[in-house]
Amino acid sequence: MEALTLTFPAALIMGLAFGAGPCNIACLPYLGPVFLSTDGGIRSSWRTLVPFSLGRMTSYSVLGAMAGSAGQVATRWLEQGAAVLLGTATAAAGLFLLFRARRKGASCAQPGRRTEQTVTWHAPNRSPSGGGLALSLFGMGAAMGLNPCIPLGTVLLAAAVTGEFHSGLMLGFGFGVGAVLIPAMIFGTLVAHFGEQIRVHLAGWGRVVERAAAGGLVFLGGATAMGWGLL
């Protein structure tokens, strides 16, 4: 039986195929409420997608490097704690959004369609909660990247066959780049636009929608940490 070999382009293509299918479904319950709780639509979607995608790419790269240097078995202890890490990071993101909504509620003008156009939402991102939210999103992405799947298992097996840290790292990185590209485009355009439109049409209920979405993240995070999540 020949050993499994995999090149960087092949790992990239596998990541693209994975990101085009089940990945989007798995990410939606976690990223959807974040877009619903934050303003800016497509223009500001990178504030959510960059830390989340970097977290996923980091996990895939680390798993590949570990598999290449110490064998695929060495990655299992990371995968076992993925649900707890994902749940904790998701709940933390929800709490930061609730905190930001509370601060914003004390300073914003009366709600309405005009508020959506005149009030800048960049200021909260410069507050302490903005950095905490970005860190939570990074943790969400990193934990989601630790969840086992068949394409990732194939990449880790190929990385283990190489027996090299650098080769495993590159395979994991290639898979990560491919896995985040398509979800980033979909969430950065369709989901971000859809979330913005909901906020515009429900402008009078903006604070309620924002807090409900943030509270949903806290609940989802707790459920995931206890093993009730979707992953």
Side-chain angles (χ1 to χ4, degrees), residues 58-87:
T58 299
S59 284
Y60 293 137
S61 299
V62 169
L63 288 174
M66 291 183 62
S69 59
Q72 189 178 11
V73 177
T75 65
R76 290 180 182 174
W77 68 275
L78 287 174
E79 295 172 354
Q80 291 173 355
V84 176
L85 177 59
L86 177 58

Side-chain angles (χ1 to χ4, degrees), residues 125-225:
N125 289 320
R126 293 192 292 268
S127 68
S129 64
L133 178 60
L135 183 60
S136 298
L137 289 169
F138 180 89
M140 288 171 61
M144 194 164 290
L146 296 178
N147 284 276
C149 63
I150 294 178
L152 178 59
T154 302
V155 172
L156 295 182
L157 179 60
V161 170
T162 67
E164 297 179 357
F165 177 90
H166 180 264
S167 297
L169 175 66
M170 293 307 297
L171 287 178
F173 178 74
F175 180 82
V177 171
V180 304
L181 282 179
I182 294 180
M185 289 188 291
I186 293 177
F187 279 89
T189 54
L190 297 180
V191 178
H193 176 73
F194 183 71
E196 184 181 32
Q197 290 302 307
I198 291 180
R199 294 175 63 86
V200 169
H201 288 87
L202 298 178
W205 297 85
R207 296 179 187 176
V208 176
V209 171
E210 182 173 349
R211 291 174 180 175
L217 274 179
V218 175
F219 175 79
L220 179 61
T224 300

Side-chain angles (χ1 to χ4, degrees), residues 1 19 56 128:
M1 180 178 180
R56 291 186 62 200

